[in-house]
Amino acid sequence: MDDISTGTLALALFVLLVASGFFSLAETAMMAVNRFRLKHRAQRGALGAKSALALLAETDRLLGVVLLGNNLINAASATLTTVITVRLFGEGEVALALGTLFVTFGILVISEITPKVIGAAHADRIAPVVSFALRPMLRIATPVVWFVNLFVQGLLRILSIRPTAEVGPTLTQEELRSLVLEGQYFRGKHRAMLANLLDLESITVDDVMTPRNQIHAIDITSEPQRLVQQLSTSYHTRLPVYRDELDDIVGTLHLKQVLHLQHAGGITREAITSALRPAYYVPSGTPLLTQLQQFQNDRERLGLVVDEYGELQGLLTLEDIIEEIIGDFTTGAPGPGSSLGREPDGSVVADGLAQLRTLNRKLGTRFPLDGPKTLNGLIVEQLGEIPDAGTVVDVGGQAIEILQTQDRVIKVVRLRAPVGRDLIAPLQSGGGQA
């Protein structure tokens, strides 16, 4: 080395620092790369993505060759710096200390921080490229890496640490939801639909069903004239049919069958009974995603929600579930909460039996959904009594004025607009029975 000029040694030192920077860049890029995107590119035939995935399948060997190369180069850089320092300034302690500081600074700037920042910022583009250089290095250094890993595994056993097998990245439902809401991949309606879809597992049929007291059904024991009137004025294509009491459901009737009955000889109790389909029951508390799959498997569109005692709680349709994903898309029958009146001051007049989820979706309110399902239930739970007309209560950050009560139910309320802004304009209503 005495025959090599100092300038050549300095150039060699710079080359070593850059080489160390490559390993730092490669390590950071390979560890920070989006594996889902990498798999997508590999499936489309990208050679770099396939190469990177092959390396990531052997993370221990990959890190072994990267760290081996990085540490060897850094050790060589330190030695070379010592030689240059001795040549220029002698073997004094101050000179050697300054040389150590110099090489440390060079390693930090050229070999560590700068390449790692670049690797983290552009991991998806860099990882497939550096993988082509790392794969032959991995083959060459395999014996050395294997030998080093023997000691690593022994040390891990002594420390009673068992590394888990690499099974690839996984995301929880909450992490995936955050990715959808906070990422830049989806915007607008697509983002809302995907977020709603992820929520289906945590929402139950009880949250979106039509409550028992709002179900439109027909009594098979009614007079034929009454049956004809109910069928001709129905807003729904499918109706539950009961005998005397709503708990005694005898089946469901599709209104297209009524047309056949009219042509076949008129609408009678016997004719309606012969056209009925067996009632389809849904257990209370079933997650919406599970019920959507059940509707698909059983080829059903309407189900009657029952509790553990078999008591009828409400009615659920396929349309209710779909609207939880994409929002309201059709006009439903008039009913509690179906009309929201805009006032000149920006407030909204709503039915006391309006569903909280519907109000949150249409008006942008933030009523809690882990308790009562209706506005009436939420207010009564908070106050502990049926309030008088004129009472104002704050629920979920929303000021609510009671306009009308009847018997044991709050009939009409006014949702006061927050100071400085209006409530979001009501959307077209939908939902209810099919």
Side-chain angles (χ1 to χ4, degrees), residues 141-407:
T142 293
V144 179
V145 173
W146 174 82
F147 180 74
V148 172
N149 279 341
L150 287 180
F151 292 91
V152 173
Q153 296 297 329
L155 181 59
L156 290 177
R157 290 192 184 96
I158 294 174
L159 298 175
S160 299
I161 299 176
R162 292 186 178 182
T164 57
E166 180 65 31
V167 294
T170 57
L171 294 175
T172 65
Q173 181 173 330
E174 288 302 318
E175 290 171 338
L176 188 56
R177 178 181 172 82
S178 297
L179 181 64
V180 170
L181 293 178
E182 300 175 10
Q184 302 299 318
Y185 307 105
F186 310 103
R187 294 184 181 275
K189 190 66 174 179
H190 295 89
R191 174 182 295 181
M193 290 172 58
L194 287 171
N196 292 339
L197 184 61
L198 292 173
D199 283 337
L200 287 190
E201 191 64 40
S202 59
I203 301 174
T204 67
V205 295
D206 307 73
D207 295 317
V208 301
M209 69 180 184
T210 301
R212 174 192 173 109
N213 63 341
Q214 298 176 23
I215 295 177
H216 294 266
I218 60 175
D219 184 358
I220 194 65
T221 62
S222 300
E223 295 296 326
Q225 296 81 1
R226 173 64 176 165
L227 292 175
V228 172
Q229 179 185 9
Q230 287 182 294
L231 293 173
S232 62
T233 58
S234 175
Y235 287 92
H236 311 292
T237 57
R238 292 172 177 82
L239 288 172
V241 179
Y242 65 94
R243 180 180 289 108
D244 295 325
E245 296 182 355
L246 196 55
D247 285 314
D248 187 10
I249 299 291
V250 295
T252 58
L253 177 66
H254 198 299
L255 288 193
K256 70 179 181 180
Q257 298 294 332
V258 176
L259 297 177
H260 297 298
L261 296 179
Q262 288 177 334
H263 292 294
I267 300 176
T268 63
R269 295 173 185 170
E270 293 75 15
I272 292 178
T273 301
S274 64
L276 293 180
R277 293 189 58 184
Y280 181 83
Y281 293 100
V282 176
S284 176
T286 303
L288 275 192
L289 182 59
T290 301
Q291 189 53 50
L292 178 61
Q293 295 169 340
Q294 289 298 325
F295 274 150
Q296 183 180 25
N297 295 336
D298 300 333
R299 297 183 180 275
E300 294 285 348
R301 297 175 62 93
L302 181 147
L304 299 169
V305 182
V306 295
D307 62 14
E308 57 183 318
Y309 304 106
E311 297 291 332
L312 181 64
Q313 301 297 308
L315 180 146
L316 179 77
T317 67
L318 180 61
E319 181 181 284
D320 294 327
I321 302 179
I322 294 176
E323 289 191 352
E324 280 298 313
I325 302 174
I326 67 175
D328 298 336
F329 65 93
T330 185
T331 301
S338 63
S339 62
L340 301 170
R342 165 75 66 182
E343 296 292 302
D345 60 357
S347 62
V348 172
V349 175
D351 194 297
L353 295 179
Q355 295 283 320
L356 296 178
R357 295 188 61 81
T358 301
L359 293 175
N360 285 350
R361 183 170 63 244
K362 294 183 178 181
L363 301 179
T365 51
R366 297 182 179 180
F367 293 124
L369 302 175
D370 54 353
K373 309 303 180 185
T374 65
L375 196 54
N376 170 74
L378 185 63
I379 297 173
V380 172
E381 180 186 63
Q382 174 142 331
L383 296 180
E385 61 180 0
I386 305 296
D388 297 325
T391 303
V392 179
V393 60
D394 185 279
V395 181
Q398 174 65 54
I400 304 174
E401 180 184 356
I402 313 301
L403 298 182
Q404 180 184 350
T405 61
Q406 182 178 343
D407 299 328

Side-chain angles (χ1 to χ4, degrees), residues 2-80:
D2 293 338
D3 298 332
I4 303 176
S5 65
T6 302
T8 303
L9 292 177
L11 179 61
L13 176 61
F14 178 76
V15 172
L16 288 176
L17 293 178
V18 172
S20 176
F22 166 78
F23 284 106
S24 297
L25 175 76
E27 177 188 6
T28 303
M30 293 298 293
M31 294 300 103
V33 68
N34 187 318
R35 300 195 186 190
F36 297 106
R37 185 175 296 168
L38 204 62
K39 288 180 180 179
H40 174 68
R41 292 178 178 174
Q43 292 172 353
R44 299 182 63 179
L47 296 179
K50 294 180 179 179
S51 177
L53 282 177
L55 289 175
L56 289 172
E58 302 176 291
T59 306
D60 55 341
R61 296 180 59 200
L62 171 63
L63 290 176
V65 70
V66 169
L67 294 177
L68 176 64
N70 212 351
N71 282 282
L72 283 175
I73 292 176
N74 287 340
S77 299
T79 300
L80 202 55

Side-chain angles (χ1 to χ4, degrees), residues 13 52 69 78 88 102 110 115 122 143 189 196 214 360 414 421:
L13 176 61
L88 295 177
F102 171 79
I110 301 176
H122 306 282
K189 190 66 174 179
N196 292 339
Q214 298 176 23
N360 285 350
R414 176 184 287 115
R421 69 178 181 88

